[in-house]
Amino acid sequence: MSASGRVRIIGGTLRNSRLDVPDLPGLRPTADRVRETLFNWLQPVVGGARCLDLFAGTGALGLEALSRGARAVTFVERDARLAAALKANLARLKVEGEVVGDDASRWLRGPGRPFDVVLLDPPFALDAWETTARQLEDGGWIAAHGWIYVEAPRGAALSLPHNWFPHRQGHAGEVAYALYRRTPADPLS
């Protein structure tokens, strides 16, 4: 699925648009069916939302959010080829998005700005879920009642912040995915 031109937008104003994607080892775009399920879950909140697509890769998740009415999407991708492809796809599709060419962990050390929806799908080999989740929570990157999508290997036991409450979850093949709702942390805990 990582070959050029094989990723497409599932719904919204960009529906059926194809994304030009470099063929790179380890690139694992979120499956069409999973994206469709996720954005059905997010449908009531994605319109007008500020979204963060960490470990953006192809940018399919963030572009799907833009297609479905997100106000703004920030894509963070450390691979220069993927970041360049993302910028080219945004220009070709005539949509606005901020592409940050940086390592997600390093970028999250900067000043936080709260996002309504965070899309957390790191390369599985990085095992970055828990560290990144803590950076997001501690750094002020998630709105008080924001939503967090997490994609991980099926069967992975993740230790996520205690104030991220599971809303919906599913699996497709060897991939597990879940949508969490953040509530403000209890200052006494």
Side-chain angles (χ1 to χ4, degrees), residues 111-130:
R113 49 184 185 178
F115 288 89
D116 305 305
V117 176
V118 174
L119 305 162
L120 177 55
D121 179 17
F124 287 3
L126 284 183
D127 193 23
W129 295 274
E130 294 168 13

Side-chain angles (χ1 to χ4, degrees), residues 80-104:
R81 294 164 295 184
L82 289 171
L86 244 167
K87 287 177 183 176
N89 280 321
L90 286 164
R92 184 176 52 79
L93 296 171
K94 296 178 175 62
V95 291
E96 298 278 328
E98 176 188 13
V99 178
V100 177
D102 199 355
D103 176 76

Side-chain angles (χ1 to χ4, degrees), residues 5 10 13 15 18 24 31-32 57 60 62 66 69 79 90 93 114-115 118-119 130 142 150 184 188:
I10 301 302
T13 60
R15 182 181 180 152
R18 301 244 177 230
L24 298 173
D32 291 1
L66 284 170
D79 187 288
L90 286 164
L93 296 171
F115 288 89
V118 174
L119 305 162
E130 294 168 13
I142 309 169
V150 178
L188 301 177

Side-chain angles (χ1 to χ4, degrees), residues 122-183:
F124 287 3
L126 284 183
D127 193 23
W129 295 274
E130 294 168 13
T131 303
T132 305
R134 183 53 46 210
Q135 283 186 282
L136 286 164
E137 186 62 34
D138 293 346
W141 292 100
I142 309 169
H145 295 282
W147 297 89
I148 309 99
Y149 169 73
V150 178
E151 191 170 313
R154 190 170 177 178
L158 303 180
S159 178
L160 300 173
H162 69 277
N163 61 318
W164 292 14
F165 292 95
H167 177 68
R168 297 255 176 103
Q169 55 193 352
H171 59 83
E174 295 303 311
V175 173
Y177 53 94
L179 183 63
Y180 295 85
R181 180 78 190 261
R182 181 186 185 269
T183 60

Side-chain angles (χ1 to χ4, degrees), residues 8-12 35 39 59-69:
R8 71 180 176 93
I9 303 301
I10 301 302
R35 275 187 285 125
F39 284 94
L61 289 172
L63 281 161
E64 197 77 54
L66 284 170
S67 181
R68 294 169 187 249

Side-chain angles (χ1 to χ4, degrees), residues 32-101:
D32 291 1
R33 184 177 65 130
V34 173
R35 275 187 285 125
E36 184 171 11
T37 299
L38 168 62
F39 284 94
N40 285 340
W41 294 345
L42 286 172
Q43 188 272 329
V45 299
V46 75
R50 291 186 64 240
C51 302
L52 174 60
D53 189 353
L54 275 175
F55 307 97
T58 66
L61 289 172
L63 281 161
E64 197 77 54
L66 284 170
S67 181
R68 294 169 187 249
R71 178 178 62 198
V73 176
T74 299
F75 300 86
V76 179
E77 175 51 54
R78 73 178 180 180
D79 187 288
R81 294 164 295 184
L82 289 171
L86 244 167
K87 287 177 183 176
N89 280 321
L90 286 164
R92 184 176 52 79
L93 296 171
K94 296 178 175 62
V95 291
E96 298 278 328
E98 176 188 13
V99 178
V100 177

